[in-house]
Amino acid sequence: MYLFRTALAVVTLSAGAPLALAANQHEAEARAFFLEARDEATAVALPAARARWIFNTYITHDTQQMVIETGKQRELTRVAQARQAHALLGKPGLSDSTRRDLNKVRQTANLPSPADPAATARLLEIGAELKNLYATGSYCDNNGECLSLREMERILRSSRDPAEQLALWQGWREVSPPMRQLYREQVELANAGASDLGFDDLGDYWRSRYDMSGDDFAAAIERYWQQAKPLYEALQCHVQARLTEYYGAENTPGDGTIPAHLTGNMWAQNWSGIEDIVMGSQTAAPFDLTAILAEREMDAIDIVKMAEGFFVSLGLEPLPDTFWERSMFTRPADREVVCHASAWNVDMQDDLRIKMCIQLTEDEVKVVHHELGHNYYQRAYKDLNYFHRGAANPGFHEALGDAIALSINGTYLHQIGLLDSAPKADKQTQIAALMKMALDKVAFLPFALVVDKWRWQVFSGEVGGEEYNSAWWQLRRQYQGVSAPVARSEANFDPGAKYHIPGNTSYSRYFLAHLLQFQFHERLCELAGFAGPLHQCSIYGSQAAGDTLNKMLAAGTSRPWQDTLEAFTGERDVDPRAMLNYFAPLKTWLDEQNKGRQCGWQQAATARPSPGP
């Protein structure tokens, strides 16, 4: 019997030898391609990155052409590599790791173009024009006074005049209607490119970057939202009630929704600008960092130094001298620039930079920490293969800096000398601090969900070009309980008034980041030896936390994000419970405040009152 099994094994091996040999050849061919693609992609990336930096910090016709020309070469390279990777993925015998690497090559481009140089050039032209329309947009009032977006944002945050708020809200949205047809053409081209690579559409292409199928990712996102939804609904109910009390029923819809122009934010994506209205006469937050910045006469460089100091306190290296020489920290007076904050590693080695028009506010302090989080992540994985230089998944990149920013609390400000003493920890102060954070973090969740849900519907054809705007506001109402303050039509293109639509940046990463950051914070606080309430923890100065954090960063995207998350936190999935634990005292307080209120909102729009004086 033993001899029979041995003989059978030999026969089977002999019969399968050609197949095994072919599989080995396919594996070797794929590995060789992956290494060649790395070298080729690295060579074309640098000139394209430099051109994009110049365009973003000096917008002219010529710099736009530079972006198009260098971008065309980069995209043609990416298209060719993506098609080769797609062909290799069809061959049998590839290992799981090789298949994953080939998928990385296949999905390098943000907007895959069809295999046609003219189509690639057109896609780049549209992208540059959309960004140019957004970056150079402004609003001019009846007196001819023109305001930039940053100036409008500042006024919206402080104004309590509904007529002024409405004028600014409507004024900025005059920027986006010219984008509409360009965007529609872009969708058609990018969908064709995604289809050529084996994806249903551009939405499927974007969702499939998360080490799971596009459908599985969409289901996971919805599952995370359902877990976090009760906290948001409690917050929305309280905020809507307080806005109605403050502005009067004549300035609110009366259907349970929040009018978008009264939130202190141009997109109603966070509500921290109306903290005074939401809390009313109750205890204010324990500190006002914006006031502290003014009192200490701190400037933009001081804020960046403060953020760098936090990372250095964790045992990470200071930023290179070139960071300070080459970054754009404030808006230049002599030229048009893209002010939207971003972090760069231009040569993918040590040429780290940020691009911002820093304003001296508490929110901007958090944004600077966020952007430096990107820089430290970029530095940590710089020695990996080109296609492994990136976050474990896109949400990790966004979550890192935000997790650090959760440590910007009274304890930390006292540690670095910006507060004379740590704030008191009584219940009222605790609730005020948590509310301030929730108006930023919790309020943001459904907005982040809507931005990509709208695009997924557009990319799939579920929403056609003739219903872009109505579909946008339907989702805003459904998920956020937020409504437009005046009637909108298909003559408008309100999605385009948000940078990430013309900028073609997937927004699911921000939704994930707003959950992951609390998981990261929870784990880092544990490593730092903190044992109190999570919202009181600051990991400033903990090298134990910094060492473990840097190991996660250095892994880049070299393995599935679930493995990286498990190595860092012990969990293999995004878990909203960390956020819910963080805000648990606030949720209890909100439930008490909402007793007797009619919470929830009508899903169908009702007639809107005329705006008040």
Side-chain angles (χ1 to χ4, degrees):
M1 189 67 174
Y2 173 79
L3 291 175
F4 174 77
R5 284 203 303 265
T6 303
L8 181 61
V10 171
V11 171
T12 303
L13 178 62
S14 299
L19 293 176
L21 180 60
N24 289 338
Q25 289 175 338
H26 294 157
E27 177 76 9
E29 180 185 1
R31 297 313 306 175
F33 162 75
F34 185 64
L35 294 178
E36 290 172 6
R38 170 200 65 189
D39 296 339
E40 191 176 20
T42 302
V44 298
L46 180 56
R50 285 180 171 152
R52 290 199 311 277
W53 175 264
I54 294 169
F55 171 70
N56 275 267
T57 57
Y58 202 148
I59 300 173
T60 69
H61 170 77
D62 291 326
T63 59
Q64 180 173 320
Q65 292 307 305
M66 288 169 58
V67 168
I68 292 172
E69 290 164 11
T70 57
K72 180 179 179 181
Q73 182 56 51
R74 182 195 60 193
E75 291 307 311
L76 287 173
T77 299
R78 285 177 170 178
V79 167
Q81 290 181 341
R83 278 163 174 70
Q84 286 179 269
H86 182 53
L88 287 167
L89 280 165
K91 296 188 176 183
L94 300 178
S95 66
D96 289 344
S97 61
T98 293
R99 294 189 66 82
R100 185 174 185 274
D101 284 343
L102 291 176
N103 268 314
K104 289 291 180 187
V105 179
R106 185 168 63 150
Q107 293 184 284
T108 301
N110 191 44
L111 293 178
S113 65
D116 172 17
T120 298
R122 179 57 183 154
L123 203 55
L124 288 165
E125 289 170 3
I126 293 172
E129 181 60 23
L130 287 171
K131 290 177 183 176
N132 186 51
L133 285 168
Y134 189 94
T136 58
S138 62
Y139 159 66
C140 301
D141 63 21
N142 293 332
N143 298 320
E145 181 182 357
C146 296
L147 300 171
S148 69
L149 175 59
R150 301 291 279 183
E151 292 166 329
M152 285 186 273
E153 287 184 88
R154 178 180 53 78
I155 296 170
L156 264 182
R157 189 175 181 85
S158 60
S159 175
R160 297 297 179 259
D161 176 356
E164 179 181 44
Q165 292 165 306
L166 180 62
L168 293 170
W169 189 92
Q170 289 182 287
W172 176 244
R173 280 156 182 77
E174 293 302 312
V175 168
S176 49
M179 301 177 186
R180 188 186 186 106
Q181 290 306 316
L182 289 169
Y183 190 78
R184 191 170 184 173
E185 183 182 358
Q186 184 184 66
V187 168
E188 292 174 359
L189 289 170
N191 265 348
S195 178
D196 288 348
L197 296 176
F199 297 94
D200 293 340
D201 53 54
L202 184 59
D204 183 41
Y205 175 89
W206 280 1
R207 294 191 301 273
S208 298
R209 289 172 163 173
Y210 288 85
D211 292 303
M212 61 179 76
S213 73
D215 288 344
D216 286 347
F217 179 72
I221 288 285
E222 186 64 30
R223 185 175 72 252
Y224 304 149
W225 165 242
Q226 291 302 323
Q227 288 179 260
K229 185 178 177 181
L231 174 60
Y232 175 80
E233 289 179 331
L235 179 67
Q236 193 274 355
C237 183
H238 180 67
V239 171
Q240 191 275 335
R242 294 294 297 128
L243 285 171
T244 300
E245 291 170 13
Y246 186 88
Y247 286 106
E250 67 274 15
N251 287 303
T252 54
D255 58 4
T257 62
I258 293 171
H261 68 308
L262 298 182
T263 61
N265 178 269
M266 184 61 80
W267 307 277
Q269 68 182 55
N270 76 61
W271 309 333
S272 57
I274 56 171
E275 177 193 351
D276 59 320
I277 296 175
V278 173
M279 293 304 291
S281 60
Q282 300 175 63
T283 304
F287 60 86
D288 182 345
L289 186 50
T290 300
I292 293 172
L293 297 176
E295 179 184 324
R296 299 299 181 99
E297 298 183 343
M298 295 177 68
D299 61 17
I301 298 296
D302 293 328
I303 292 174
V304 182
K305 288 283 188 182
M306 172 185 172
E308 180 195 36
F310 198 110
F311 286 95
V312 171
S313 83
L314 302 180
L316 305 182
E317 292 295 319
L319 294 164
D321 291 343
T322 52
F323 171 86
W324 303 100
E325 296 163 1
R326 299 171 185 173
S327 291
M328 186 186 87
F329 300 117
T330 57
R331 186 185 187 100
D334 61 341
R335 62 186 188 270
E336 294 286 352
V337 299
V338 178
C339 271
H340 186 84
S342 57
W344 300 61
N345 188 358
V346 175
D347 66 356
M348 295 170 289
Q349 289 299 305
D350 297 302
D351 194 357
L352 302 168
R353 312 178 191 184
I354 61 170
K355 173 189 61 63
M356 287 186 66
C357 301
I358 297 173
Q359 299 186 41
L360 306 180
T361 68
E362 181 169 342
D363 281 350
E364 292 286 270
V365 171
K366 295 175 182 177
V367 172
V368 172
H369 281 76
H370 175 97
E371 297 306 328
L372 261 60
H374 287 309
N375 283 148
Y376 275 97
Y377 212 153
Q378 290 161 343
R379 173 190 269 178
Y381 58 61
K382 68 184 178 69
D383 293 328
L384 296 177
N385 182 293
Y386 174 88
F387 295 103
H388 292 160
R389 292 175 192 160
N393 75 38
F396 277 58
H397 233 310
E398 303 301 333
L400 171 60
D402 284 347
I404 296 298
L406 290 175
S407 286
I408 302 176
N409 54 27
T411 301
Y412 163 61
L413 295 178
H414 175 54
Q415 286 177 297
I416 64 173
L418 290 183
L419 283 179
D420 294 333
S421 60
K424 57 185 179 180
D426 60 79
K427 182 179 178 181
Q428 283 187 318
T429 303
Q430 173 182 263
I431 293 301
L434 286 171
M435 177 62 80
K436 185 173 188 173
M437 186 70 73
L439 292 172
D440 180 14
K441 304 292 185 181
V442 179
F444 180 80
L445 282 175
F447 176 82
L449 198 64
V450 163
V451 173
D452 268 3
K453 277 189 172 286
W454 178 82
R455 282 191 286 202
W456 296 346
Q457 291 178 1
V458 168
F459 297 154
S460 71
E462 181 182 345
V463 168
E466 69 285 351
E467 51 186 351
Y468 279 171
N469 221 49
S470 60
W472 172 257
W473 283 108
Q474 182 178 339
L475 287 169
R476 296 291 302 272
R477 174 179 287 270
Q478 176 184 346
Y479 282 93
Q480 273 189 288
V482 167
S483 56
V486 291
R488 310 301 284 167
S489 74
E490 294 306 323
N492 307 116
F493 184 52
D494 294 332
K498 177 61 182 170
Y499 170 80
H500 299 75
I501 300 295
N504 289 297
T505 302
S506 174
Y507 221 71
S508 299
R509 65 188 65 188
Y510 301 105
F511 177 82
L512 292 175
H514 272 64
L515 299 175
L516 280 168
Q517 64 186 264
F518 291 95
Q519 277 181 272
F520 290 1
H521 183 61
E522 191 172 59
R523 175 57 175 153
L524 291 169
C525 289
E526 178 185 327
L527 291 166
F530 184 82
L534 196 56
H535 63 272
Q536 293 178 2
C537 169
S538 176
I539 65 164
Y540 177 77
S542 173
Q543 296 207 6
D547 289 345
T548 302
L549 176 65
N550 204 45
K551 289 176 184 176
M552 181 193 77
L553 305 184
T557 185
S558 61
R559 54 183 177 171
W561 67 266
Q562 296 90 339
D563 294 347
T564 300
L565 182 64
E566 184 177 28
F568 181 47
T569 68
E571 300 168 310
R572 290 189 59 81
D573 197 5
V574 177
D575 190 350
R577 286 180 299 177
M579 171 184 264
L580 299 179
N581 290 341
Y582 187 98
F583 289 109
L586 179 66
K587 177 61 163 61
T588 299
W589 184 86
L590 285 169
D591 289 343
E592 293 171 356
Q593 300 300 307
N594 289 332
K595 286 179 180 177
R597 289 173 175 164
Q598 184 67 44
C599 292
W601 54 87
Q602 295 177 14
Q603 290 299 325
T606 57
R608 305 186 189 285
S610 300

